[in-house]
Amino acid sequence: MKTPQQHTGAQGENAARQYLETKGYRILHENWRKGQYEIDLIARFAQLLIFVEVKTRSYNPLVEPYKAVTRSKQQSLLTAAKSYVTITECTDEIRFDVVTVIAKGAENQIEHIEDAFRAYVGR
């Protein structure tokens, strides 16, 4: 059984996926895992491979969800992305995006931060 936070997170990831799809992104993977590391969404847009971190919060104007993507979280995403690139032998240009979802009852406020941080994945 999911905790309330897991339920909110899953709803946010679903909302983020739908939002990105309406913008023309093709979702390749959801909740891709390698060991202890996870990438919420992996998408393709034009010639880019995009690793997406989704942060969902219940409505609270004092807390911005993107602030939860700390340096430590960025490092975890980078480690997972390196594994993905190695496993898939991907040579495409990559980008790290953050999608924030603030749940407001039946509505969601979604913000897509493209190229949210830079990291060298190496090949």
Side-chain angles (χ1 to χ4, degrees):
M1 186 154 185
K2 288 184 178 182
T3 66
Q5 292 84 1
Q6 289 171 323
H7 183 70
T8 298
Q11 286 182 322
E13 288 177 11
N14 187 50
R17 179 185 49 76
Q18 290 176 3
Y19 174 82
L20 291 172
E21 287 175 338
T22 64
K23 289 179 69 175
Y25 288 66
R26 185 168 53 96
I27 304 302
L28 303 176
H29 302 282
E30 296 180 50
N31 300 311
W32 186 87
R33 297 187 74 81
K34 177 66 175 171
Q36 68 188 41
Y37 301 104
E38 178 182 14
I39 301 171
D40 293 331
L41 299 170
I42 301 174
R44 181 161 303 288
F45 185 73
Q47 301 301 315
L48 294 171
L49 180 67
I50 303 169
F51 298 100
V52 181
E53 176 66 13
V54 179
K55 287 297 176 191
T56 307
R57 299 288 184 268
S58 296
Y59 181 69
N60 181 348
L62 301 177
V63 179
E64 296 292 336
Y66 72 88
K67 290 183 179 178
V69 185
T70 62
R71 288 276 183 213
S72 174
K73 181 60 179 175
Q74 291 174 22
Q75 189 60 45
S76 294
L77 289 168
L78 176 59
T79 300
K82 285 180 178 180
S83 293
Y84 183 86
V85 166
T86 299
I87 290 167
T88 62
E89 299 179 352
C90 178
T91 58
D92 296 334
E93 185 177 341
I94 66 164
R95 187 175 81 195
F96 291 90
D97 289 4
V98 173
V99 174
T100 65
V101 180
I102 299 177
K104 293 184 173 184
E107 298 283 320
N108 290 315
Q109 177 184 333
I110 298 175
E111 180 181 9
H112 180 195
I113 304 166
E114 296 179 3
D115 206 11
F117 62 92
R118 298 209 178 243
Y120 177 71
V121 174
R123 297 198 203 333

